[in-house]
Amino acid sequence: MIVARVVQNSAVQNVFRRLSLSNGDLHNFHATASVIPNKLLDQERKTTAKPRVRSMSLGRQVDNSLVRTMSNEASTSTVHSVKTNRLALEKSPYLLQHATNPVDWYPWGQEAFDRAKKENKLIFLSVGYSTCHWCHVMEKESFENEEVAKIMNQHFVNIKVDREERPDVDKLYMAFVQASVGGGGWPMSVFLTPILEPLAGGTYFPPDDKYGRPGFKSVLKSIAEQWRTKQTVIANSGRYSLEVLRKVSQREISSKQGINVPGDEVWKKCLLQLSHSYEDDFGGFSAQPKFPQPSNFNFLFHMYARDMDSEQGFRCLQMCLHTLRKMAYGGIHDHVNCGFARYSVDDRWHVPHFEKMLYDQGQLAVSYADAYVVTKDEFFADVLRDILLYVSRDLGHSLGGFYGAEDADSYPFEGAPHKLEGAFCVWEYDEICNLLGDDKTKDVSHRDLFIHHYNVKEGGNVNPAQDPHHELKKKNVLVCFGSFEDTSTKFGVDIPTVKEILQKCHEVLYAERQKRPKPHVDTKIVTSWNGLMISGYAKAGFVLKDQEYINKAILAATFIKKFLYSEEEKTLLRCCYRGEEGKIVQTANPVNGFLDDYAFLIRGLLDLYEASLDADWLCWAEVLQEQQDRLFWDSKGSGYFTSPENDTSILIRGKEDQDGAEPCGNSVSVQNLIRLAAYLDRPDLRAKAGRTLTVFADRLKSIPVALPEMTSALLFYHHSPTQVFIAGEAEDNNTQALLDVVRSRFIPGRILAVTDGPGGRAGLLYRRHESLSRLRPVHGKPAAYVCRNFACSLPVTEPEELANSLDGSSQKKDFPGTSDDE
């Protein structure tokens, strides 16, 4: 959604501007190098669920009784012996967390809208998600407070939205909040007119007046009074806000039907901007807080692959590998339970925001797989396996889908009155000493080596500046500021021994952590995030030659097809939920899929095809692409809208134009279209990719760093992806030997297909792609054809010959039928 560059001048918004913590508390984001645009910073603000606030004390930590009362399985039944509101009938874990609030909550829907119109009341919209730390805080302080609830119920129709269920609602009103307040985050709090026009908004608000700021109760009363006495003025303000957002959205994304794709100035500028924002000591592309930003890795790896031997190529590779290493050694990486946290609050990847998101795991799996292929360094393969172990074990449903997130907050011990951020993950010095005891390997103390390697301190290793609420006092977040090599030298043992000792220690600490109260898991299964995870497992299975990982991807894709896809309508749903006893359940009014759900799943299916060589996945990808075009394509201006057009509650259909915590749907779609065009001999899809790039041309030319994923797609568009076609039976050992050569080389955006005749697994390709149907084995032996820029090499049958061809040393010749001229 376009972020409007306007400031709302209404009296209502002025109250919020004075009150909202989102300005002062998020200034640390502006420490990022000036090359990063405000809009990109906004996206990173949005992904934080608010960082730890430094400007003022926020009082008590969350004691979310509903999380204890209702299981992580997001039970569909109401809570017995506890008074509930309408949210008890929902399936979203986030909405269920608020089901026992005294607030008269409604879910987003016509019932709430009709009541607001009938009673002429403003709508208070609260948007968050179940693993959001500051959402928990505001719930405890305000939404569980009878006095606050009484004011809300008397003067407003109150709507609670899970942003992961309804990203369209979140993006629309987040655009307003960012424009009017100057920043955004969750919980997001917005006041709307009865016809859903935004009046005022902010993020977290403390309940009472403090430090010269009016509290939430004062804001509620003030806005209610202004609506009662100045309704016409305020209603006009809402219409004005909406109109400005609409005009800015239309202006910033130009309406173009032709193809006029920008050139190499875009990726040169993107590289320059990323280089300027890169932090050399610990990697990453900002000061504190630091986010993984996998889209940056995708672009930089791509740039490296284009020019491996140049200084520029080396710089691209160095930025990726150094950052990925520092992240893996850092506290953002859970060394005991595996997986990665959402971000680091400091600039050293040390103290994380302990929440773990599925979309980060899926994207980082791809990044570490790429790093392994480039370097052949087992360090990166081990981190890749670590991520996938965490997802399978802690976020996996038995039928194949993956849950959305794991909370940052948990109870420090059974029966504790309050949850604390990171309680499940951190350690005291004496605790580690007692657990690891006196065990030794080759006369090296496990305890001493572990304490040194992970920077464990007797008084804790967390800087008080990173712990304003003293949750981590005397606690240690495991972090390595050195390396395996440094620890090896320090203790005089080889690296394998260091890793063996650390692994034994990890096992001891893992067993101990399982005795602690576990963090809440959001058991919502989101289609788009599962698509990212399918890519992660498929790519890992391919590069590591591990069928188990490929099978995980197949199982996840099968899950989506069974529970989140209508075979009759050929459409996707946004999400489903784990109910009682692990059963998959759906809401009474399921949410239809959004652009990201289609685009990310299509990418996952294309990656799964290349890993499994089963063309059924490619066939489904084509069906989904056609539906995506029908539901989201802008027939007047080109490019894809974020949401379908049939939802009248969404007042502006926006086009996402930024790669943030997740890549935007348009960026991924361009790559999907180029890949499908090559697989299925469909120049119309390539032309659609060109029109999409044209629509975003101005954005790409001015701030390409906001769209690194799309800039990478632009490279694919101008420099046709390398195509490797192998004619032969997939199970043939000679075919597998040729595939091993492809597996060992880093070729971003590579198109890989095995054609085994009209009756084989690749029958679809054989029938659909005229050029592929003409490829044949040579003298009965599987043969590989390498094509670049619409010209193909002579067929080769030996792995060494294929290696030479992929490395660019083979003779080229024209290959008819591969051109996709518009």
Side-chain angles (χ1 to χ4, degrees):
M1 174 60 64
I2 301 301
V3 178
R5 294 174 178 85
V6 297
V7 175
Q8 175 57 252
N9 292 316
S10 73
V12 175
Q13 186 59 49
N14 287 335
V15 174
F16 270 69
R17 191 174 297 110
R18 294 195 308 271
L19 172 67
S20 176
L21 299 183
S22 60
N23 279 327
D25 300 335
L26 295 175
H27 276 173
N28 50 324
F29 284 93
H30 293 288
T32 306
S34 60
V35 69
I36 303 295
N38 287 337
K39 196 166 183 184
L40 185 61
L41 296 175
D42 284 342
Q43 178 64 24
E44 294 302 348
R45 280 190 202 97
K46 287 163 55 181
T47 59
T48 66
K50 285 190 67 70
R52 292 185 177 89
V53 176
R54 294 169 172 78
S55 61
M56 60 182 293
S57 172
L58 296 180
R60 297 172 295 171
Q61 290 299 308
V62 63
D63 174 15
N64 192 333
S65 60
L66 185 59
V67 176
R68 290 181 298 190
T69 305
M70 306 188 76
S71 72
N72 282 348
E73 297 177 355
S75 171
T76 59
S77 62
T78 58
V79 182
H80 298 293
S81 74
V82 178
K83 185 177 179 180
T84 59
N85 55 49
R86 292 172 187 81
L87 300 185
L89 301 175
E90 297 298 309
K91 302 296 189 296
S92 157
Y94 177 62
L95 300 186
L96 288 171
Q97 284 175 354
H98 293 78
T100 59
N101 295 167
V103 177
D104 186 18
W105 290 117
Y106 283 81
W108 183 264
Q110 198 60 47
E111 183 183 5
F113 309 152
D114 289 344
R115 181 185 166 194
K117 293 175 186 175
K118 180 180 179 179
E119 299 182 10
N120 192 32
K121 285 185 175 180
L122 291 179
I123 291 170
F124 173 69
L125 172 66
S126 177
V127 181
Y129 56 104
S130 76
T131 59
C132 163
H133 173 73
W134 288 103
C135 300
H136 298 334
V137 173
M138 192 165 179
E139 180 191 12
K140 177 61 181 176
E141 294 179 341
S142 292
F143 303 148
E144 293 183 359
N145 184 301
E146 294 282 353
E147 183 181 357
V148 175
K150 182 178 179 181
I151 299 170
M152 295 173 68
N153 295 339
Q154 179 180 351
H155 298 292
F156 303 94
V157 173
N158 303 291
I159 298 179
K160 177 64 72 172
V161 167
D162 182 339
R163 66 167 297 268
E164 296 165 356
E165 266 191 334
R166 293 301 304 255
D168 53 341
V169 176
D170 177 64
K171 289 173 182 176
L172 172 60
Y173 295 109
M174 183 65 74
F176 168 76
V177 171
Q178 288 178 322
S180 55
V181 178
W186 298 288
M188 180 171 66
S189 306
V190 191
F191 288 85
L192 314 177
T193 68
I195 56 174
L196 307 180
E197 295 164 336
L199 293 172
T203 54
Y204 162 85
F205 299 101
D208 300 306
D209 300 351
K210 289 182 180 179
Y211 309 110
R213 299 173 181 263
F216 189 48
K217 287 182 285 187
S218 297
V219 171
L220 291 168
K221 292 176 182 178
S222 174
I223 291 178
E225 177 64 16
Q226 291 190 58
W227 179 248
R228 187 182 69 83
T229 60
K230 303 176 182 178
Q231 184 169 142
T232 300
V233 174
I234 292 175
N236 288 338
S237 175
R239 283 190 287 274
Y240 172 78
S241 299
L242 189 67
E243 187 59 28
V244 171
L245 286 172
R246 182 178 286 114
K247 287 180 178 179
V248 172
S249 176
Q250 293 170 349
R251 182 174 69 246
E252 291 191 357
I253 296 298
S254 56
S255 296
K256 300 175 182 177
Q257 280 288 355
I259 298 178
N260 185 18
V261 178
D264 60 0
E265 73 276 10
V266 172
W267 53 82
K268 289 178 181 178
K269 189 171 185 177
C270 187
L271 179 56
L272 182 64
Q273 291 177 336
L274 282 174
S275 295
H276 284 171
S277 65
Y278 178 71
E279 197 273 289
D280 286 291
D281 291 336
F282 285 87
F285 301 92
S286 71
Q288 63 183 30
K290 279 189 174 177
F291 296 81
Q293 297 177 293
S295 290
N296 289 344
F297 300 137
N298 294 344
F299 168 71
L300 291 170
F301 275 131
H302 193 167
M303 288 294 291
Y304 161 73
R306 290 186 68 245
D307 200 2
M308 294 181 178
D309 298 325
S310 71
E311 182 177 343
Q312 175 180 286
F314 176 78
R315 173 66 170 167
C316 292
L317 181 62
Q318 184 268 339
M319 286 191 284
C320 286
L321 298 183
H322 183 62
T323 302
L324 289 169
R325 282 185 183 278
K326 287 297 184 180
M327 286 172 52
Y329 278 123
I332 192 175
H333 179 202
D334 188 339
H335 299 279
V336 173
N337 267 53
C338 307
F340 281 82
R342 176 75 279 272
Y343 66 94
S344 167
V345 303
D346 57 84
D347 61 355
R348 297 158 63 88
W349 304 110
H350 179 193
V351 182
H353 174 55
F354 294 88
E355 170 189 30
K356 294 178 183 175
M357 306 300 296
L358 181 65
Y359 57 72
D360 284 320
Q361 317 308 319
Q363 293 178 90
L364 286 173
V366 172
S367 297
Y368 280 99
D370 288 346
Y372 171 69
V373 175
V374 169
T375 64
K376 307 301 185 294
D377 187 339
E378 281 296 320
F379 175 90
F380 297 109
D382 288 342
V383 179
L384 173 58
R385 296 184 185 100
D386 169 291
I387 294 169
L388 301 183
L389 171 61
Y390 165 70
V391 172
S392 296
R393 183 191 63 216
D394 295 345
L395 297 181
H397 189 280
S398 59
L399 296 179
F402 300 108
Y403 305 137
E406 185 177 55
D407 208 333
D409 298 359
S410 61
Y411 294 100
F413 53 88
E414 293 292 347
H418 306 299
K419 287 188 174 186
L420 298 175
E421 185 174 3
F424 185 68
C425 304
V426 296
W427 305 91
E428 292 187 355
Y429 179 86
D430 290 343
E431 185 179 19
I432 287 178
C433 290
N434 293 333
L435 287 168
L436 299 184
D438 298 321
D439 289 347
K440 292 184 178 181
T441 297
K442 296 183 180 180
D443 293 325
V444 173
S445 164
H446 291 188
R447 180 184 59 206
D448 292 348
L449 185 146
F450 186 91
I451 286 173
H452 169 81
H453 185 79
Y454 285 122
N455 194 45
V456 177
K457 306 295 183 185
E458 191 166 357
N461 67 5
V462 176
N463 187 329
Q466 308 301 336
D467 183 29
H469 304 301
H470 313 296
E471 296 169 297
L472 304 177
K473 188 175 181 180
K474 292 189 176 182
K475 303 294 185 180
N476 288 276
V477 175
L478 301 184
V479 58
C480 176
F481 292 126
S483 64
F484 292 129
E485 291 78 5
D486 294 338
T487 302
S488 170
T489 301
K490 168 76 175 178
F491 289 88
V493 293
D494 58 24
I495 292 175
T497 300
V498 169
K499 292 183 177 180
E500 177 188 346
I501 291 173
L502 292 174
Q503 180 58 33
K504 290 179 179 178
C505 295
H506 293 159
E507 291 170 0
V508 172
L509 268 61
Y510 177 82
E512 181 66 20
R513 270 175 65 167
Q514 303 320 297
K515 301 174 185 177
R516 299 176 178 178
K518 293 185 178 180
H520 159 73
V521 172
D522 187 323
T523 53
K524 180 168 63 273
I525 299 172
V526 179
T527 300
S528 62
W529 299 356
N530 274 255
L532 294 173
M533 205 65 241
I534 289 170
S535 286
Y537 273 103
K539 291 215 168 203
F542 184 78
V543 303
L544 298 176
K545 204 174 182 179
D546 190 320
Q547 188 61 44
E548 181 180 348
Y549 290 149
I550 297 173
N551 289 342
K552 286 280 187 183
I554 291 172
L555 197 60
T558 303
F559 179 97
I560 292 177
K561 198 164 192 177
K562 180 177 181 180
F563 294 106
L564 290 162
Y565 176 68
S566 167
E567 192 71 53
E568 181 179 353
E569 301 293 333
K570 311 299 183 190
T571 54
L572 293 170
L573 296 176
R574 170 65 176 174
C575 51
C576 59
Y577 311 83
R578 172 174 172 165
E580 294 177 334
E581 300 179 355
K583 294 180 180 179
I584 299 301
V585 295
Q586 192 52 266
T587 60
N589 298 298
V591 179
N592 291 321
F594 300 99
L595 173 62
D596 289 358
D597 297 303
Y598 285 82
F600 295 1
L601 179 56
I602 291 167
R603 172 189 270 186
L605 295 176
L606 294 176
D607 292 335
L608 180 53
Y609 164 68
E610 294 202 352
S612 68
L613 300 176
D614 184 345
D616 285 347
W617 301 119
L618 189 59
C619 182
W620 190 24
E622 183 184 25
V623 170
L624 290 174
Q625 185 63 59
E626 290 174 347
Q627 274 293 18
Q628 176 184 314
D629 294 345
R630 183 179 68 83
L631 293 170
F632 303 99
W633 181 255
D634 181 359
S635 58
K636 296 180 180 179
S638 297
Y640 293 97
F641 291 112
T642 299
S643 57
E645 64 179 344
N646 56 359
D647 189 342
T648 57
S649 70
I650 302 302
L651 305 182
I652 301 174
R653 292 180 75 201
K655 294 177 186 174
E656 188 79 22
D657 67 343
Q658 184 169 301
D659 299 319
E662 305 164 57
C664 82
N666 276 288
S667 296
V668 175
S669 293
V670 173
Q671 297 187 27
N672 292 343
L673 290 165
I674 294 171
R675 294 173 75 182
L676 282 167
Y679 276 124
L680 303 173
D681 195 18
R682 287 192 55 179
D684 61 308
L685 296 182
R686 177 175 165 81
K688 189 158 282 187
R691 286 196 289 273
T692 303
L693 290 167
T694 300
V695 166
F696 291 92
D698 291 343
R699 181 86 164 143
L700 287 166
K701 290 176 182 177
S702 61
I703 319 176
V705 72
L707 284 166
E709 197 82 40
M710 190 176 289
T711 304
S712 186
L714 183 66
L715 281 165
F716 291 135
Y717 185 85
H718 282 295
H719 303 278
S720 182
T722 298
Q723 299 172 339
V724 183
F725 301 134
I726 300 175
E729 298 290 335
E731 290 75 17
D732 189 299
N733 288 336
N734 292 308
T735 300
Q736 288 297 317
L738 294 172
L739 285 170
D740 285 344
V741 175
V742 180
R743 189 176 281 115
S744 69
R745 275 155 174 77
F746 181 67
I747 312 171
R750 171 213 60 229
I751 304 297
L752 171 66
V754 173
T755 61
D756 51 3
R761 296 171 69 190
L764 169 73
L765 292 172
Y766 194 90
R767 294 188 297 272
R768 293 286 302 280
H769 201 305
E770 181 182 354
S771 299
L772 290 180
S773 69
R774 297 202 300 268
L775 302 185
R776 296 287 187 274
V778 175
H779 304 304
K781 195 171 184 180
Y785 300 76
V786 177
C787 309
R788 295 187 182 92
N789 298 318
F790 318 123
C792 288
S793 66
L794 294 168
V796 297
T797 59
E798 297 300 325
E800 296 80 6
E801 295 175 316
L802 177 56
N804 289 334
S805 182
L806 289 175
D807 294 338
S809 60
S810 65
Q811 180 184 0
K812 302 280 177 60
K813 71 168 186 175
D814 290 337
F815 190 73
T818 60
S819 175
D820 57 354
D821 293 337
E822 324 305 349

